Every structure is written in C-alpha cells, then in structure tokens.
Amino acid sequence: MLTLDDGWSLALKAGEEIDALQVGHRVAVIARPSGGSGLNDLLLEAWAYDWDLPHEEEGAQAPPVEAPSALPAQPDLPVVSAPAGAPPTVGAAPIVPPSPDAGLDGVIAVWRKWVLGLNPKLSDEQASNIVRWVLHYSQQYNVNHKLIFALIKWESWYNPGCVSHAGATGLMQLMPGTARSLGVDPRNVQQNIEGGVHYLSEQLEIYRNRPNYERVLLALACYNAGPNAVKRAGNCVPNITETRSYVRKVSGTFYELHQAGMP
C-alpha cells in the first residue's frame, strides 16, 4: 500500500503473493482516496516488469533438487509364468493330423469337437466352418492357430451372435471402428475371423523383437485394452484388472492346447 501526497492510496492486488509474481503477470491496481468508502475507487491494470519483482541476491545458489528415493514400480510384464518346456511358436504352426491317415479332415474333426464342447448350440457344419476359417486365416496372417482358438474361447465362447455392451461383435469381438479399419463386416462370421486374426497379427508384429512369450502377452493386452494403453504402461501389460485377467486366461488356454498336443 502506497499513500500519495494528494490523499489517494494505491493498493497492489494479485491472486498470489508478491514473491510468486513472474515477469509479465498482469496485476490489478486500485486507486482509492484515504478514508473513502470505495465508491470512487479506480480500477486500473498494470503489468509486472522485472524491476517490480524481487531478485535473488547476487551469488545466491538455488536449493538442490533431491532425487526421488525410488521410481514408481511398473507393473510386471508376465501375468502368468511361462510353462516349463519349449513354448509354442507365435507364428503359423504346422497343422499336424492326429494320425497319419487322418489328413486335414481329421484335424478339423478334432477342433470341431473342442469347439462344440464350448458351444454345443452350434451345428456340426457351423463348427466345421469356424475351424476351417481359423486354420486358413491363421496361415494367411502367420499366427499360431492355437492362439486364435484360445482367444475366441475367452472373447465369445464361440457364440457368433455375441455382442458386448460396448458394441464388440461376433466370435472375435471386433469393435465397429476396428472392423471398419480392417475392411470387414463383423456380423459376417468368416469376415469376423479374418479381421480378428489380421488385427492380432498386427499387434504381434509391433513386438516382434521381444521374446516369444512376451510377444503373446503384449499382443493379447493390445487386443483387449488397445495398443495405446499398452504403450502408456511402458510397453507392459497395463495394470487393468480386466486386461490382466484376460491375458492370463487366453495365454493359459494357449499353452494348455500346446501341451495337450492339439493338432
């Protein structure tokens, strides 16, 4: 507060303490007659220039910045421990008939039985078509077909008409935007499988330089939570309960199918 010779006083008002003012801050200056009621106040605006602000004493040193005692821990990448033994390959696996004479029909029969065990409401023809398309597109997009079979189990339990509250559709639960970007109709069973396999292959490709097991976990996390969520988590499985549960279940089924010797 400054008192002037003509009976007026000047008050500097700011939304913060004067010590916190920075060069260029706008401040309010109120001119008021001494003893006045305030009805004749004049509100002016001024700018804080460098000579208006407190200065550090010459030679003064800034206080040291202490390093944090520990960095926040990132969620650990593996959601489940890798099973003992050689893990299954991420890329397209050879389709081995259950017996030398069974051929592709024998492979389809084995997987059809497995699919019908999850959704007995499917007809034999529907289940066979699903199996054929999974095998076909897994080879086309270089993805292990056992991983696709495991993923569909936990996405829709092989219900082609499954629609989530968020709008994810079909066997592989494609979101409308994802389906459009892939150029497929998610309501068409064949296109739904192609789109889902294609999308998962893109996520696997992102992490092609990571160890085989980590690629599976990260690609599945991308499929469930989205690639951006995985990036924000430092390219780890995000600490999201639903996503971590999903990755655990799908990867667990994938390894079970591998250990069981499914063709």
Side-chain angles (χ1 to χ4, degrees):
M1 178 77 69
L2 297 177
T3 301
L4 306 181
D5 293 338
D6 57 3
W8 286 70
S9 62
L10 291 178
L12 177 67
K13 289 191 175 182
E16 46 191 331
E17 296 295 329
I18 184 66
D19 288 345
L21 280 175
Q22 300 294 322
V23 173
H25 272 192
R26 189 169 62 180
V27 296
V29 178
I30 298 177
R32 173 179 300 170
S34 299
S37 64
L39 296 177
N40 297 319
D41 289 358
L42 299 177
L43 178 61
L44 310 174
E45 286 186 344
W47 296 92
Y49 293 97
D50 57 354
W51 56 79
D52 299 322
L53 304 178
H55 292 272
E56 293 181 355
E57 296 181 5
E58 187 174 353
Q61 295 182 349
V65 178
E66 296 182 1
S69 57
L71 294 175
Q74 286 284 348
D76 55 312
L77 175 67
V79 179
V80 292
S81 300
T89 178
V90 174
I95 301 173
V96 182
S99 67
D101 300 326
L104 183 59
D105 288 341
V107 173
I108 293 173
V110 171
W111 283 108
R112 179 177 63 236
K113 181 179 179 180
W114 186 80
V115 169
L116 288 171
L118 296 172
N119 184 6
K121 294 182 179 180
L122 293 171
S123 67
D124 284 358
E125 181 180 6
Q126 288 174 318
S128 294
N129 286 337
I130 290 172
V131 170
R132 289 180 185 274
W133 290 326
V134 168
L135 296 176
H136 172 75
Y137 290 116
S138 295
Q139 292 290 316
Q140 178 174 327
Y141 291 104
N142 193 32
V143 180
N144 191 311
H145 58 278
K146 297 172 189 175
L147 180 57
I148 301 302
F149 280 118
L151 184 147
I152 296 176
K153 172 185 176 179
W154 292 105
E155 285 289 351
S156 64
W157 285 83
Y158 287 86
N159 176 7
C162 181
V163 179
S164 76
H165 66 279
T169 301
L171 292 172
M172 300 195 71
Q173 289 292 277
L174 294 180
M175 292 295 290
T178 303
R180 283 194 300 271
S181 70
L182 296 167
V184 298
D185 179 357
R187 297 165 297 181
N188 178 286
V189 177
Q190 181 177 356
Q191 292 186 40
N192 188 284
I193 294 173
E194 179 182 7
V197 176
H198 186 182
Y199 184 72
L200 184 63
S201 73
E202 292 179 339
Q203 310 317 309
L204 288 165
E205 179 63 18
I206 292 173
Y207 297 103
R208 62 186 178 277
N209 294 325
R210 300 291 283 267
N212 188 55
Y213 185 66
E214 291 184 6
R215 285 184 71 195
V216 173
L217 302 183
L218 293 170
L220 291 175
C222 288
Y223 197 96
N224 178 261
N228 289 333
V230 176
K231 290 180 182 178
R232 287 194 297 269
N235 290 318
C236 293
V237 176
N239 194 20
I240 302 171
T241 301
E242 177 190 343
T243 300
R244 294 174 75 83
S245 175
Y246 173 86
V247 172
R248 182 184 299 111
K249 290 174 180 177
V250 177
S251 62
T253 299
F254 176 38
Y255 279 85
E256 288 172 4
L257 294 173
H258 173 69
Q259 295 293 337
M262 289 291 283

